[in-house]
Amino acid sequence: MTAPEAARSLAALANRLRKNEARLRSWRSREGVTCYRVYDRDIPELPLQIDVFEGTTPEGEPLRAASLVAFAPRHGGGAAYDDVVTAAVAVVAGALSIHQAHVFPQLRERERGGEVEGEDAAASVLSLIVREGPARLLVKLGARRDPGLFLDHRTTRRLVAQESQGLSLLNLFAYTGSFSVQAALAGASSTTSVDLSLQTTRWAEENLALNRIDARGVGPAGPAHRVLRADALAFLQEETEAAYDVVVVDPPSFSRSRRAQQDFDVARDHLWLIGAALRVCRPAGVVWFSSNLRGFRLGDLAGLGQDVVVDDVTARTCPPDFQRSPHCAFRISRSIKSATRG
Ligand SMILES: C[S@@+](CC[C@H](N)C(=O)[O-])C[C@H]1O[C@@H](n2cnc3c(N)ncnc32)[C@H](O)[C@@H]1O
């Protein structure tokens, strides 16, 4: 990108940010949304994702911050592009009225969902407690990883929570446990959050605690809200009882870890995964499956039984602050007749 091209793109970015901010304003105030995507690779030469997070610091100070994820442009990145990204930070700060030190850039080659371990340098990380409906959730900006809350599933979390009232939820690939928190607050009788990463399982426990949902307390029937550090695939293989009413399956596109017994590839393995999730469901249970793999196509579920009913809920779950479909999502159940028989 030449210097004049960069200047033009950055001016276009400022305009687009102001326009998007104005477009989203009434929706945000109607829905009470305080964390949202304000720029979604709108300008092809500036393939950025910019998310705004409004919340409070752990000390209770209100703060508005933004994450800026820069993907390598099609023609390649390079030093000049790094300079453009640095300049974009100032543009974001000016256009969105955010202190420049609270705009956190990150250069990234890959899509979300990989497993990242290890603590980040504390000085570079901003912790914020944000609100999503009734929930308080901890996000961390400035780390070399995702902030702890995937905004594209805001609506999915609400729909899953509504469906989980009085029921048991299994949350596989639970990450920081946001589905479990929303379900527990909506009145789920139990939640089980399973993730392979030590860091994210601790974070999920923190999120439960922030909402006064006790993840560790043991009652007569065991803890109602459990967080397990485990391989989700091994968990499903070992679970012998059909004990869950709602199962959330939101896996990464690919996963390879020394701790997992096997590699995972969503395109290759999703039919097995959905079948295994249905096996641990009660007869009237429901599986919410989603994938962020671009171009993902759900395979033929007929092999899992003629009574399997699939509802493509992608259009309902993709929120208005995302320009392009960030995920696809399916609600999968067994037909009522066989469920009541079972
Ligand atoms: C795409 S994120 C899941 C997002 C989450 N459902 C949410 O909405 O917040 C992927 C998560 O899967 C976890 N993970 C990757 N491979 C896994 C495996 N084999 N078993 C369990 N968790 C795994 C990662 O640690 C990461 O937290």
Side-chain angles (χ1 to χ4, degrees), residues 112-116 148-150 153 157 171-179 194-197 200 230-233 248 250-252 255 260 262 264 292:
R112 81 169 172 108
E115 189 195 348
V116 185
L149 182 63
F150 290 121
H153 275 308
R157 284 188 281 274
N171 183 5
L172 297 171
F173 308 94
Y175 190 46
T176 58
S178 51
F179 274 102
V194 180
D195 199 282
L196 196 56
S197 148
T200 60
D231 175 3
L233 311 177
V248 171
D250 179 26
S255 164
Q262 54 239 297
F264 178 76
N292 288 74

PDB file of all heavy atoms in Angstrom, residues 112-116 148-150 153 157 171-179 194-197 200 230-233 248 250-252 255 260 262 264 292, ligand 1:
ATOM      1  N   ARG A 112     -10.490 -17.562  14.787  1.00  0.00           N
ATOM      2  CA  ARG A 112     -10.578 -17.835  16.207  1.00  0.00           C
ATOM      3  C   ARG A 112     -10.659 -19.323  16.472  1.00  0.00           C
ATOM      4  O   ARG A 112     -10.933 -20.106  15.590  1.00  0.00           O
ATOM      5  CB  ARG A 112     -11.821 -17.183  16.797  1.00  0.00           C
ATOM      6  CG  ARG A 112     -13.105 -17.972  16.567  1.00  0.00           C
ATOM      7  CD  ARG A 112     -14.202 -17.368  17.420  1.00  0.00           C
ATOM      8  NE  ARG A 112     -15.492 -17.919  17.126  1.00  0.00           N
ATOM      9  CZ  ARG A 112     -16.130 -18.742  17.952  1.00  0.00           C
ATOM     10  NH1 ARG A 112     -15.602 -19.134  19.075  1.00  0.00           N
ATOM     11  NH2 ARG A 112     -17.319 -19.191  17.626  1.00  0.00           N
ATOM     12  N   GLY A 113     -10.440 -19.708  17.707  1.00  0.00           N
ATOM     13  CA  GLY A 113     -10.817 -21.042  18.110  1.00  0.00           C
ATOM     14  C   GLY A 113      -9.670 -21.927  18.508  1.00  0.00           C
ATOM     15  O   GLY A 113      -9.871 -22.945  19.130  1.00  0.00           O
ATOM     16  N   GLY A 114      -8.437 -21.577  18.171  1.00  0.00           N
ATOM     17  CA  GLY A 114      -7.327 -22.432  18.569  1.00  0.00           C
ATOM     18  C   GLY A 114      -7.128 -22.381  20.068  1.00  0.00           C
ATOM     19  O   GLY A 114      -7.721 -21.558  20.752  1.00  0.00           O
ATOM     20  N   GLU A 115      -6.311 -23.224  20.551  1.00  0.00           N
ATOM     21  CA  GLU A 115      -6.094 -23.263  21.989  1.00  0.00           C
ATOM     22  C   GLU A 115      -4.824 -22.497  22.301  1.00  0.00           C
ATOM     23  O   GLU A 115      -3.786 -22.723  21.700  1.00  0.00           O
ATOM     24  CB  GLU A 115      -5.955 -24.720  22.407  1.00  0.00           C
ATOM     25  CG  GLU A 115      -5.938 -24.907  23.891  1.00  0.00           C
ATOM     26  CD  GLU A 115      -5.435 -26.282  24.214  1.00  0.00           C
ATOM     27  OE1 GLU A 115      -5.331 -27.102  23.311  1.00  0.00           O
ATOM     28  OE2 GLU A 115      -5.109 -26.501  25.381  1.00  0.00           O
ATOM     29  N   VAL A 116      -4.895 -21.573  23.191  1.00  0.00           N
ATOM     30  CA  VAL A 116      -3.713 -20.796  23.549  1.00  0.00           C
ATOM     31  C   VAL A 116      -3.490 -20.952  25.046  1.00  0.00           C
ATOM     32  O   VAL A 116      -4.405 -20.782  25.831  1.00  0.00           O
ATOM     33  CB  VAL A 116      -3.910 -19.295  23.216  1.00  0.00           C
ATOM     34  CG1 VAL A 116      -2.642 -18.522  23.483  1.00  0.00           C
ATOM     35  CG2 VAL A 116      -4.335 -19.124  21.775  1.00  0.00           C
ATOM     36  N   GLY A 148     -12.065 -13.505  25.482  1.00  0.00           N
ATOM     37  CA  GLY A 148     -12.803 -14.284  26.474  1.00  0.00           C
ATOM     38  C   GLY A 148     -14.300 -14.275  26.261  1.00  0.00           C
ATOM     39  O   GLY A 148     -15.037 -14.909  27.017  1.00  0.00           O
ATOM     40  N   LEU A 149     -14.762 -13.536  25.251  1.00  0.00           N
ATOM     41  CA  LEU A 149     -16.202 -13.483  24.985  1.00  0.00           C
ATOM     42  C   LEU A 149     -16.388 -13.346  23.478  1.00  0.00           C
ATOM     43  O   LEU A 149     -15.988 -12.333  22.899  1.00  0.00           O
ATOM     44  CB  LEU A 149     -16.817 -12.273  25.707  1.00  0.00           C
ATOM     45  CG  LEU A 149     -18.326 -12.109  25.559  1.00  0.00           C
ATOM     46  CD1 LEU A 149     -19.072 -13.295  26.166  1.00  0.00           C
ATOM     47  CD2 LEU A 149     -18.803 -10.811  26.217  1.00  0.00           C
ATOM     48  N   PHE A 150     -16.970 -14.367  22.852  1.00  0.00           N
ATOM     49  CA  PHE A 150     -17.208 -14.302  21.412  1.00  0.00           C
ATOM     50  C   PHE A 150     -18.553 -13.629  21.175  1.00  0.00           C
ATOM     51  O   PHE A 150     -19.609 -14.165  21.494  1.00  0.00           O
ATOM     52  CB  PHE A 150     -17.159 -15.704  20.799  1.00  0.00           C
ATOM     53  CG  PHE A 150     -15.769 -16.291  20.801  1.00  0.00           C
ATOM     54  CD1 PHE A 150     -15.500 -17.472  21.449  1.00  0.00           C
ATOM     55  CD2 PHE A 150     -14.727 -15.635  20.152  1.00  0.00           C
ATOM     56  CE1 PHE A 150     -14.218 -18.004  21.456  1.00  0.00           C
ATOM     57  CE2 PHE A 150     -13.439 -16.158  20.153  1.00  0.00           C
ATOM     58  CZ  PHE A 150     -13.185 -17.343  20.808  1.00  0.00           C
ATOM     59  N   HIS A 153     -21.900 -14.963  19.279  1.00  0.00           N
ATOM     60  CA  HIS A 153     -22.860 -15.893  19.880  1.00  0.00           C
ATOM     61  C   HIS A 153     -23.711 -15.247  20.991  1.00  0.00           C
ATOM     62  O   HIS A 153     -24.309 -15.951  21.794  1.00  0.00           O
ATOM     63  CB  HIS A 153     -22.151 -17.145  20.406  1.00  0.00           C
ATOM     64  CG  HIS A 153     -21.948 -18.172  19.331  1.00  0.00           C
ATOM     65  ND1 HIS A 153     -22.987 -18.603  18.538  1.00  0.00           N
ATOM     66  CD2 HIS A 153     -20.847 -18.844  18.912  1.00  0.00           C
ATOM     67  CE1 HIS A 153     -22.533 -19.503  17.673  1.00  0.00           C
ATOM     68  NE2 HIS A 153     -21.245 -19.652  17.865  1.00  0.00           N
ATOM     69  N   ARG A 157     -26.445 -17.454  22.926  1.00  0.00           N
ATOM     70  CA  ARG A 157     -26.419 -17.650  24.392  1.00  0.00           C
ATOM     71  C   ARG A 157     -27.792 -17.373  24.990  1.00  0.00           C
ATOM     72  O   ARG A 157     -28.248 -18.080  25.882  1.00  0.00           O
ATOM     73  CB  ARG A 157     -25.368 -16.723  25.033  1.00  0.00           C
ATOM     74  CG  ARG A 157     -23.945 -17.194  24.831  1.00  0.00           C
ATOM     75  CD  ARG A 157     -22.953 -16.380  25.641  1.00  0.00           C
ATOM     76  NE  ARG A 157     -22.628 -15.101  25.046  1.00  0.00           N
ATOM     77  CZ  ARG A 157     -21.682 -14.890  24.137  1.00  0.00           C
ATOM     78  NH1 ARG A 157     -20.961 -15.895  23.696  1.00  0.00           N
ATOM     79  NH2 ARG A 157     -21.447 -13.688  23.652  1.00  0.00           N
ATOM     80  N   ASN A 171     -21.963 -28.087  28.255  1.00  0.00           N
ATOM     81  CA  ASN A 171     -21.319 -27.078  27.406  1.00  0.00           C
ATOM     82  C   ASN A 171     -19.945 -27.602  27.010  1.00  0.00           C
ATOM     83  O   ASN A 171     -19.006 -27.586  27.807  1.00  0.00           O
ATOM     84  CB  ASN A 171     -21.228 -25.764  28.209  1.00  0.00           C
ATOM     85  CG  ASN A 171     -20.642 -24.621  27.411  1.00  0.00           C
ATOM     86  OD1 ASN A 171     -20.378 -24.753  26.216  1.00  0.00           O
ATOM     87  ND2 ASN A 171     -20.435 -23.494  28.077  1.00  0.00           N
ATOM     88  N   LEU A 172     -19.848 -28.098  25.771  1.00  0.00           N
ATOM     89  CA  LEU A 172     -18.577 -28.677  25.314  1.00  0.00           C
ATOM     90  C   LEU A 172     -17.746 -27.616  24.597  1.00  0.00           C
ATOM     91  O   LEU A 172     -18.299 -26.775  23.899  1.00  0.00           O
ATOM     92  CB  LEU A 172     -18.854 -29.848  24.360  1.00  0.00           C
ATOM     93  CG  LEU A 172     -19.609 -31.023  24.989  1.00  0.00           C
ATOM     94  CD1 LEU A 172     -20.037 -32.029  23.921  1.00  0.00           C
ATOM     95  CD2 LEU A 172     -18.747 -31.714  26.048  1.00  0.00           C
ATOM     96  N   PHE A 173     -16.433 -27.668  24.727  1.00  0.00           N
ATOM     97  CA  PHE A 173     -15.531 -26.632  24.199  1.00  0.00           C
ATOM     98  C   PHE A 173     -15.968 -25.295  24.810  1.00  0.00           C
ATOM     99  O   PHE A 173     -16.163 -24.292  24.115  1.00  0.00           O
ATOM    100  CB  PHE A 173     -15.588 -26.580  22.660  1.00  0.00           C
ATOM    101  CG  PHE A 173     -15.382 -27.912  21.996  1.00  0.00           C
ATOM    102  CD1 PHE A 173     -16.462 -28.707  21.642  1.00  0.00           C
ATOM    103  CD2 PHE A 173     -14.103 -28.386  21.748  1.00  0.00           C
ATOM    104  CE1 PHE A 173     -16.280 -29.938  21.042  1.00  0.00           C
ATOM    105  CE2 PHE A 173     -13.900 -29.619  21.146  1.00  0.00           C
ATOM    106  CZ  PHE A 173     -15.002 -30.399  20.790  1.00  0.00           C
ATOM    107  N   ALA A 174     -16.130 -25.315  26.138  1.00  0.00           N
ATOM    108  CA  ALA A 174     -16.852 -24.247  26.842  1.00  0.00           C
ATOM    109  C   ALA A 174     -16.116 -22.920  26.889  1.00  0.00           C
ATOM    110  O   ALA A 174     -16.715 -21.890  27.204  1.00  0.00           O
ATOM    111  CB  ALA A 174     -17.149 -24.697  28.266  1.00  0.00           C
ATOM    112  N   TYR A 175     -14.795 -22.938  26.622  1.00  0.00           N
ATOM    113  CA  TYR A 175     -14.006 -21.704  26.649  1.00  0.00           C
ATOM    114  C   TYR A 175     -14.198 -21.041  28.015  1.00  0.00           C
ATOM    115  O   TYR A 175     -13.992 -21.706  29.030  1.00  0.00           O
ATOM    116  CB  TYR A 175     -14.424 -20.828  25.464  1.00  0.00           C
ATOM    117  CG  TYR A 175     -13.567 -19.612  25.187  1.00  0.00           C
ATOM    118  CD1 TYR A 175     -12.185 -19.683  25.166  1.00  0.00           C
ATOM    119  CD2 TYR A 175     -14.149 -18.389  24.902  1.00  0.00           C
ATOM    120  CE1 TYR A 175     -11.410 -18.565  24.886  1.00  0.00           C
ATOM    121  CE2 TYR A 175     -13.390 -17.264  24.614  1.00  0.00           C
ATOM    122  CZ  TYR A 175     -12.014 -17.360  24.618  1.00  0.00           C
ATOM    123  OH  TYR A 175     -11.255 -16.246  24.343  1.00  0.00           O
ATOM    124  N   THR A 176     -14.634 -19.785  28.096  1.00  0.00           N
ATOM    125  CA  THR A 176     -14.712 -19.120  29.396  1.00  0.00           C
ATOM    126  C   THR A 176     -16.086 -19.283  30.055  1.00  0.00           C
ATOM    127  O   THR A 176     -16.419 -18.551  30.999  1.00  0.00           O
ATOM    128  CB  THR A 176     -14.368 -17.624  29.245  1.00  0.00           C
ATOM    129  OG1 THR A 176     -15.295 -17.061  28.308  1.00  0.00           O
ATOM    130  CG2 THR A 176     -12.961 -17.419  28.731  1.00  0.00           C
ATOM    131  N   GLY A 177     -16.872 -20.200  29.521  1.00  0.00           N
ATOM    132  CA  GLY A 177     -18.112 -20.599  30.205  1.00  0.00           C
ATOM    133  C   GLY A 177     -19.299 -19.669  30.040  1.00  0.00           C
ATOM    134  O   GLY A 177     -20.261 -19.751  30.805  1.00  0.00           O
ATOM    135  N   SER A 178     -19.271 -18.808  29.014  1.00  0.00           N
ATOM    136  CA  SER A 178     -20.354 -17.813  28.920  1.00  0.00           C
ATOM    137  C   SER A 178     -21.724 -18.463  28.657  1.00  0.00           C
ATOM    138  O   SER A 178     -22.738 -17.983  29.172  1.00  0.00           O
ATOM    139  CB  SER A 178     -20.033 -16.754  27.858  1.00  0.00           C
ATOM    140  OG  SER A 178     -19.678 -17.373  26.652  1.00  0.00           O
ATOM    141  N   PHE A 179     -21.777 -19.527  27.880  1.00  0.00           N
ATOM    142  CA  PHE A 179     -23.065 -20.221  27.695  1.00  0.00           C
ATOM    143  C   PHE A 179     -23.570 -20.748  29.044  1.00  0.00           C
ATOM    144  O   PHE A 179     -24.759 -20.661  29.350  1.00  0.00           O
ATOM    145  CB  PHE A 179     -22.910 -21.411  26.728  1.00  0.00           C
ATOM    146  CG  PHE A 179     -23.050 -21.055  25.270  1.00  0.00           C
ATOM    147  CD1 PHE A 179     -21.931 -20.935  24.465  1.00  0.00           C
ATOM    148  CD2 PHE A 179     -24.295 -20.854  24.706  1.00  0.00           C
ATOM    149  CE1 PHE A 179     -22.046 -20.615  23.118  1.00  0.00           C
ATOM    150  CE2 PHE A 179     -24.434 -20.534  23.357  1.00  0.00           C
ATOM    151  CZ  PHE A 179     -23.300 -20.414  22.553  1.00  0.00           C
ATOM    152  N   VAL A 194     -17.016 -28.150  29.757  1.00  0.00           N
ATOM    153  CA  VAL A 194     -15.842 -28.980  29.487  1.00  0.00           C
ATOM    154  C   VAL A 194     -14.911 -28.249  28.520  1.00  0.00           C
ATOM    155  O   VAL A 194     -15.340 -27.838  27.435  1.00  0.00           O
ATOM    156  CB  VAL A 194     -16.265 -30.336  28.854  1.00  0.00           C
ATOM    157  CG1 VAL A 194     -15.036 -31.202  28.563  1.00  0.00           C
ATOM    158  CG2 VAL A 194     -17.246 -31.070  29.760  1.00  0.00           C
ATOM    159  N   ASP A 195     -13.669 -28.067  28.921  1.00  0.00           N
ATOM    160  CA  ASP A 195     -12.684 -27.471  28.023  1.00  0.00           C
ATOM    161  C   ASP A 195     -11.315 -28.052  28.361  1.00  0.00           C
ATOM    162  O   ASP A 195     -11.035 -28.415  29.505  1.00  0.00           O
ATOM    163  CB  ASP A 195     -12.662 -25.942  28.149  1.00  0.00           C
ATOM    164  CG  ASP A 195     -12.012 -25.271  26.944  1.00  0.00           C
ATOM    165  OD1 ASP A 195     -10.770 -25.269  26.858  1.00  0.00           O
ATOM    166  OD2 ASP A 195     -12.744 -24.775  26.069  1.00  0.00           O
ATOM    167  N   LEU A 196     -10.474 -28.104  27.333  1.00  0.00           N
ATOM    168  CA  LEU A 196      -9.167 -28.725  27.488  1.00  0.00           C
ATOM    169  C   LEU A 196      -8.147 -27.807  28.158  1.00  0.00           C
ATOM    170  O   LEU A 196      -7.144 -28.264  28.703  1.00  0.00           O
ATOM    171  CB  LEU A 196      -8.669 -29.079  26.073  1.00  0.00           C
ATOM    172  CG  LEU A 196      -7.538 -30.044  25.891  1.00  0.00           C
ATOM    173  CD1 LEU A 196      -7.827 -31.374  26.570  1.00  0.00           C
ATOM    174  CD2 LEU A 196      -7.313 -30.272  24.389  1.00  0.00           C
ATOM    175  N   SER A 197      -8.406 -26.518  28.101  1.00  0.00           N
ATOM    176  CA  SER A 197      -7.374 -25.573  28.527  1.00  0.00           C
ATOM    177  C   SER A 197      -7.510 -25.210  30.009  1.00  0.00           C
ATOM    178  O   SER A 197      -8.600 -24.875  30.485  1.00  0.00           O
ATOM    179  CB  SER A 197      -7.491 -24.311  27.653  1.00  0.00           C
ATOM    180  OG  SER A 197      -7.125 -23.173  28.371  1.00  0.00           O
ATOM    181  N   THR A 200      -8.577 -21.435  30.371  1.00  0.00           N
ATOM    182  CA  THR A 200      -9.989 -21.093  30.132  1.00  0.00           C
ATOM    183  C   THR A 200     -10.914 -21.753  31.161  1.00  0.00           C
ATOM    184  O   THR A 200     -11.936 -21.166  31.516  1.00  0.00           O
ATOM    185  CB  THR A 200     -10.443 -21.437  28.702  1.00  0.00           C
ATOM    186  OG1 THR A 200     -10.275 -22.815  28.495  1.00  0.00           O
ATOM    187  CG2 THR A 200      -9.674 -20.667  27.668  1.00  0.00           C
ATOM    188  N   ALA A 230     -11.025 -31.172  30.431  1.00  0.00           N
ATOM    189  CA  ALA A 230     -10.988 -32.492  29.784  1.00  0.00           C
ATOM    190  C   ALA A 230     -11.113 -32.332  28.281  1.00  0.00           C
ATOM    191  O   ALA A 230     -11.587 -31.314  27.772  1.00  0.00           O
ATOM    192  CB  ALA A 230     -12.148 -33.339  30.305  1.00  0.00           C
ATOM    193  N   ASP A 231     -10.693 -33.371  27.575  1.00  0.00           N
ATOM    194  CA  ASP A 231     -10.881 -33.452  26.132  1.00  0.00           C
ATOM    195  C   ASP A 231     -12.360 -33.756  25.883  1.00  0.00           C
ATOM    196  O   ASP A 231     -12.880 -34.772  26.362  1.00  0.00           O
ATOM    197  CB  ASP A 231      -9.973 -34.580  25.610  1.00  0.00           C
ATOM    198  CG  ASP A 231     -10.156 -34.855  24.129  1.00  0.00           C
ATOM    199  OD1 ASP A 231     -10.939 -34.141  23.465  1.00  0.00           O
ATOM    200  OD2 ASP A 231      -9.518 -35.798  23.634  1.00  0.00           O
ATOM    201  N   ALA A 232     -13.037 -32.880  25.158  1.00  0.00           N
ATOM    202  CA  ALA A 232     -14.482 -33.048  24.948  1.00  0.00           C
ATOM    203  C   ALA A 232     -14.790 -34.361  24.229  1.00  0.00           C
ATOM    204  O   ALA A 232     -15.819 -34.998  24.487  1.00  0.00           O
ATOM    205  CB  ALA A 232     -15.025 -31.873  24.139  1.00  0.00           C
ATOM    206  N   LEU A 233     -13.900 -34.774  23.345  1.00  0.00           N
ATOM    207  CA  LEU A 233     -14.156 -36.002  22.579  1.00  0.00           C
ATOM    208  C   LEU A 233     -14.047 -37.218  23.499  1.00  0.00           C
ATOM    209  O   LEU A 233     -14.887 -38.121  23.472  1.00  0.00           O
ATOM    210  CB  LEU A 233     -13.164 -36.128  21.410  1.00  0.00           C
ATOM    211  CG  LEU A 233     -13.021 -34.879  20.536  1.00  0.00           C
ATOM    212  CD1 LEU A 233     -11.974 -35.096  19.465  1.00  0.00           C
ATOM    213  CD2 LEU A 233     -14.346 -34.499  19.893  1.00  0.00           C
ATOM    214  N   VAL A 248     -24.488 -27.890  24.267  1.00  0.00           N
ATOM    215  CA  VAL A 248     -23.904 -26.885  23.370  1.00  0.00           C
ATOM    216  C   VAL A 248     -22.593 -27.446  22.844  1.00  0.00           C
ATOM    217  O   VAL A 248     -21.737 -27.886  23.622  1.00  0.00           O
ATOM    218  CB  VAL A 248     -23.638 -25.555  24.113  1.00  0.00           C
ATOM    219  CG1 VAL A 248     -22.839 -24.594  23.239  1.00  0.00           C
ATOM    220  CG2 VAL A 248     -24.949 -24.915  24.530  1.00  0.00           C
ATOM    221  N   ASP A 250     -19.752 -26.086  20.417  1.00  0.00           N
ATOM    222  CA  ASP A 250     -19.216 -24.978  19.621  1.00  0.00           C
ATOM    223  C   ASP A 250     -17.705 -25.170  19.513  1.00  0.00           C
ATOM    224  O   ASP A 250     -16.924 -24.477  20.160  1.00  0.00           O
ATOM    225  CB  ASP A 250     -19.561 -23.638  20.307  1.00  0.00           C
ATOM    226  CG  ASP A 250     -19.014 -22.449  19.539  1.00  0.00           C
ATOM    227  OD1 ASP A 250     -18.831 -22.556  18.318  1.00  0.00           O
ATOM    228  OD2 ASP A 250     -18.763 -21.400  20.162  1.00  0.00           O
ATOM    229  N   PRO A 251     -17.292 -26.146  18.683  1.00  0.00           N
ATOM    230  CA  PRO A 251     -15.869 -26.517  18.675  1.00  0.00           C
ATOM    231  C   PRO A 251     -15.022 -25.567  17.827  1.00  0.00           C
ATOM    232  O   PRO A 251     -15.551 -24.832  16.989  1.00  0.00           O
ATOM    233  CB  PRO A 251     -15.897 -27.900  18.011  1.00  0.00           C
ATOM    234  CG  PRO A 251     -17.066 -27.854  17.090  1.00  0.00           C
ATOM    235  CD  PRO A 251     -18.085 -26.930  17.726  1.00  0.00           C
ATOM    236  N   PRO A 252     -13.712 -25.597  18.024  1.00  0.00           N
ATOM    237  CA  PRO A 252     -12.836 -24.868  17.112  1.00  0.00           C
ATOM    238  C   PRO A 252     -12.859 -25.575  15.753  1.00  0.00           C
ATOM    239  O   PRO A 252     -13.301 -26.719  15.662  1.00  0.00           O
ATOM    240  CB  PRO A 252     -11.456 -24.999  17.768  1.00  0.00           C
ATOM    241  CG  PRO A 252     -11.542 -26.230  18.600  1.00  0.00           C
ATOM    242  CD  PRO A 252     -12.972 -26.363  19.029  1.00  0.00           C
ATOM    243  N   SER A 255      -8.238 -28.582  16.041  1.00  0.00           N
ATOM    244  CA  SER A 255      -7.591 -28.571  17.343  1.00  0.00           C
ATOM    245  C   SER A 255      -6.575 -29.699  17.401  1.00  0.00           C
ATOM    246  O   SER A 255      -6.867 -30.837  17.021  1.00  0.00           O
ATOM    247  CB  SER A 255      -8.655 -28.726  18.429  1.00  0.00           C
ATOM    248  OG  SER A 255      -8.072 -29.082  19.642  1.00  0.00           O
ATOM    249  N   ALA A 260      -4.949 -33.724  24.234  1.00  0.00           N
ATOM    250  CA  ALA A 260      -6.112 -34.416  23.671  1.00  0.00           C
ATOM    251  C   ALA A 260      -5.648 -35.761  23.120  1.00  0.00           C
ATOM    252  O   ALA A 260      -4.524 -35.899  22.648  1.00  0.00           O
ATOM    253  CB  ALA A 260      -6.726 -33.575  22.573  1.00  0.00           C
ATOM    254  N   GLN A 262      -6.855 -37.202  20.523  1.00  0.00           N
ATOM    255  CA  GLN A 262      -6.907 -37.191  19.066  1.00  0.00           C
ATOM    256  C   GLN A 262      -6.999 -35.765  18.541  1.00  0.00           C
ATOM    257  O   GLN A 262      -7.452 -34.879  19.258  1.00  0.00           O
ATOM    258  CB  GLN A 262      -8.100 -38.015  18.582  1.00  0.00           C
ATOM    259  CG  GLN A 262      -9.442 -37.606  19.186  1.00  0.00           C
ATOM    260  CD  GLN A 262     -10.135 -38.723  19.936  1.00  0.00           C
ATOM    261  OE1 GLN A 262     -10.467 -39.715  19.315  1.00  0.00           O
ATOM    262  NE2 GLN A 262     -10.335 -38.570  21.225  1.00  0.00           N
ATOM    263  N   PHE A 264      -8.604 -32.844  16.111  1.00  0.00           N
ATOM    264  CA  PHE A 264      -9.999 -32.576  15.750  1.00  0.00           C
ATOM    265  C   PHE A 264     -10.043 -31.683  14.518  1.00  0.00           C
ATOM    266  O   PHE A 264      -9.292 -30.726  14.400  1.00  0.00           O
ATOM    267  CB  PHE A 264     -10.717 -31.902  16.931  1.00  0.00           C
ATOM    268  CG  PHE A 264     -12.132 -31.546  16.615  1.00  0.00           C
ATOM    269  CD1 PHE A 264     -13.110 -32.533  16.594  1.00  0.00           C
ATOM    270  CD2 PHE A 264     -12.492 -30.245  16.297  1.00  0.00           C
ATOM    271  CE1 PHE A 264     -14.421 -32.214  16.266  1.00  0.00           C
ATOM    272  CE2 PHE A 264     -13.798 -29.920  15.976  1.00  0.00           C
ATOM    273  CZ  PHE A 264     -14.766 -30.914  15.964  1.00  0.00           C
ATOM    274  N   ASN A 292     -17.492 -21.977  13.173  1.00  0.00           N
ATOM    275  CA  ASN A 292     -17.026 -20.722  12.567  1.00  0.00           C
ATOM    276  C   ASN A 292     -16.171 -20.970  11.333  1.00  0.00           C
ATOM    277  O   ASN A 292     -15.609 -20.027  10.771  1.00  0.00           O
ATOM    278  CB  ASN A 292     -16.200 -19.907  13.568  1.00  0.00           C
ATOM    279  CG  ASN A 292     -17.068 -19.303  14.635  1.00  0.00           C
ATOM    280  OD1 ASN A 292     -17.543 -20.014  15.523  1.00  0.00           O
ATOM    281  ND2 ASN A 292     -17.329 -18.013  14.545  1.00  0.00           N
TER     282      ASN A 292
HETATM  283  C1  LIG B   1     -14.201 -21.793  19.542  1.00  0.00           C
HETATM  284  S1  LIG B   1     -13.731 -21.835  21.221  1.00  0.00           S
HETATM  285  C2  LIG B   1     -15.268 -22.224  21.933  1.00  0.00           C
HETATM  286  C3  LIG B   1     -16.072 -21.011  22.164  1.00  0.00           C
HETATM  287  C4  LIG B   1     -17.123 -21.143  23.248  1.00  0.00           C
HETATM  288  N1  LIG B   1     -18.080 -22.173  22.936  1.00  0.00           N
HETATM  289  C5  LIG B   1     -17.810 -19.815  23.485  1.00  0.00           C
HETATM  290  O1  LIG B   1     -18.791 -19.527  22.810  1.00  0.00           O
HETATM  291  O2  LIG B   1     -17.317 -19.016  24.266  1.00  0.00           O
HETATM  292  C6  LIG B   1     -12.787 -23.252  21.307  1.00  0.00           C
HETATM  293  C7  LIG B   1     -12.483 -23.809  22.695  1.00  0.00           C
HETATM  294  O3  LIG B   1     -12.289 -25.206  22.523  1.00  0.00           O
HETATM  295  C8  LIG B   1     -11.276 -25.625  23.411  1.00  0.00           C
HETATM  296  N2  LIG B   1     -10.785 -26.908  22.901  1.00  0.00           N
HETATM  297  C9  LIG B   1     -10.035 -27.162  21.811  1.00  0.00           C
HETATM  298  N3  LIG B   1      -9.881 -28.488  21.641  1.00  0.00           N
HETATM  299  C10 LIG B   1     -10.570 -29.105  22.639  1.00  0.00           C
HETATM  300  C11 LIG B   1     -10.827 -30.450  22.996  1.00  0.00           C
HETATM  301  N4  LIG B   1     -10.333 -31.459  22.286  1.00  0.00           N
HETATM  302  N5  LIG B   1     -11.602 -30.683  24.077  1.00  0.00           N
HETATM  303  C12 LIG B   1     -12.108 -29.674  24.819  1.00  0.00           C
HETATM  304  N6  LIG B   1     -11.899 -28.380  24.531  1.00  0.00           N
HETATM  305  C13 LIG B   1     -11.147 -28.088  23.448  1.00  0.00           C
HETATM  306  C14 LIG B   1     -10.283 -24.503  23.445  1.00  0.00           C
HETATM  307  O4  LIG B   1      -9.514 -24.551  24.644  1.00  0.00           O
HETATM  308  C15 LIG B   1     -11.217 -23.286  23.373  1.00  0.00           C
HETATM  309  O5  LIG B   1     -11.531 -22.822  24.654  1.00  0.00           O
END
